[in-house]
Amino acid sequence: QVQLAESGGGLVQAGGSLRLSCAASGRTFSYYTVGWFRQAPGKEREFVAAITWNSDSTYYVDSVKGRFTISRDNAKNTVYLQMNSLKPEDTADYYCAALYSNSGRYYSTERAQYRYWGQGTQVTVSS
């Protein structure tokens, strides 16, 4: 069992930055790919970014490429999402999620592939 807890959300003006954190506890974090998803009011939860356990590979949805950066510190069991140049359309609840990959290389953009989820942190970008 892996427990995930997000933090770092808040209210920011358009063009500003926030850094979200996803802290893991419970079982070892090794070999877990971690993804960030977001859900805006009235919309489905969508994939934002993912990182493999050894940080070899990162993946982003097109709408955040060049603005968001996902990283992880396995010694701290924490994954980060640095969000720059924020836009009002980035407003959503952000969730981190983890899936086990015995190769350490698998990732997915599909919510159903992720077994463990955090409770979410709210990000509001004002125009």
Side-chain angles (χ1 to χ4, degrees):
Q1 193 82 337
V2 175
Q3 291 83 41
L4 302 174
E6 304 93 337
S7 61
L11 172 64
V12 64
Q13 287 189 330
S17 298
L18 283 173
R19 188 176 81 156
L20 306 183
S21 297
C22 172
S25 60
R27 296 181 62 180
T28 176
F29 210 24
S30 297
Y31 291 95
Y32 278 91
T33 291
V34 174
W36 283 97
F37 290 75
R38 65 186 179 186
Q39 187 166 16
K43 295 188 177 181
E44 290 195 354
R45 195 171 298 187
E46 65 169 354
F47 171 81
V48 176
I51 186 167
T52 52
W53 86 274
N54 57 3
S55 304
D56 269 359
S57 299
T58 56
Y59 307 90
Y60 300 91
V61 68
D62 286 346
S63 60
V64 307
K65 284 180 180 177
R67 300 189 297 122
F68 290 12
T69 303
I70 189 170
S71 63
R72 68 191 292 166
D73 183 342
N74 287 338
K76 296 182 178 180
N77 284 346
T78 303
V79 173
Y80 305 97
L81 186 67
Q82 178 67 44
M83 306 187 296
N84 298 329
S85 302
L86 282 161
K87 304 176 181 180
E89 51 264 44
D90 295 317
T91 294
D93 291 326
Y94 283 71
Y95 300 86
C96 64
L99 66 83
Y100 181 77
S101 168
N102 56 15
S103 71
R105 295 185 174 87
Y106 180 76
Y107 89 102
S108 175
T109 63
E110 300 295 323
R111 291 175 294 170
Q113 296 294 314
Y114 289 81
R115 181 174 182 181
Y116 302 107
W117 289 83
Q119 294 300 306
T121 185
Q122 188 173 58
V123 172
T124 303
V125 184
S126 63
S127 57

